[in-house]
Amino acid sequence: MGLKNRAMVFEIDLDVLTGHFSDDLSLPRHFEISLQLAGCGFSHFPRPAGGRHDPIFPDIHEELLEKVCIFDVYDGKGIPEGMKSLGLRFSYRADDRTLTDLEVSQVHNGIVKRIVDKSGAKIRGEEI
């Protein structure tokens, strides 16, 4: 196969593994889908410097949205003084199925619109 290093393959039987832990341990059966706004070209949300970031998130209650994380905060060149640019990572998962791109896209677009509408944040590339 032309590999430069040794390849390794393994299989984990999660049913056997979880049998060694308490009953409180539950592993998700379906994949998480993560979207980073910074990687999509419309993604950083400038926010007032010194302001709390929490007001962006409190009204986001979507069944498929598992978590939202700030993965980047930038306030250098290209960002107006007194503002910060936030990179956000949204993670989606359903308990009963693997999500489709269309499902996630529809929910995600609605969440981004609500964040922008409620917070007054500007999307990268728009006038601040």
Side-chain angles (χ1 to χ4, degrees):
M1 294 181 64
L3 300 175
K4 294 181 182 181
N5 296 311
R6 282 188 291 152
M8 300 178 81
V9 177
F10 64 92
E11 182 177 304
I12 297 175
D13 186 336
L14 294 178
D15 292 329
V16 171
L17 182 63
T18 57
H20 294 285
F21 296 96
S22 72
D23 291 337
D24 295 338
L25 178 67
S26 64
L27 298 172
R29 294 276 183 212
H30 301 281
F31 293 106
E32 169 187 289
I33 297 176
S34 293
L35 297 177
Q36 295 182 4
L37 290 180
C40 298
F42 57 83
S43 59
H44 279 60
F45 292 100
R47 298 290 296 160
R52 293 181 37 155
H53 303 307
D54 297 344
I56 292 176
F57 307 111
D59 292 333
I60 301 175
H61 300 289
E62 286 289 345
E63 180 180 333
L64 302 178
L65 181 64
E66 189 170 65
K67 62 187 170 190
V68 180
C69 301
I70 297 173
F71 70 87
D72 184 38
V73 178
Y74 177 73
D75 63 355
K77 185 177 179 181
I79 302 298
E81 189 172 335
M83 300 290 282
K84 292 184 186 267
S85 175
L86 303 179
L88 305 174
R89 179 178 299 120
F90 297 80
S91 298
Y92 301 92
R93 184 189 322 260
D95 292 334
D96 60 340
R97 68 192 184 287
T98 299
L99 297 172
T100 66
D101 289 341
L102 180 61
E103 283 179 294
V104 173
S105 179
Q106 289 173 340
V107 171
H108 184 71
N109 291 340
I111 289 171
V112 171
K113 182 176 180 349
R114 283 192 310 238
I115 289 172
V116 170
D117 290 348
K118 181 167 178 96
S119 70
K122 302 292 182 192
I123 296 173
R124 182 176 25 171
E126 291 183 0
E127 203 170 307
I128 297 177

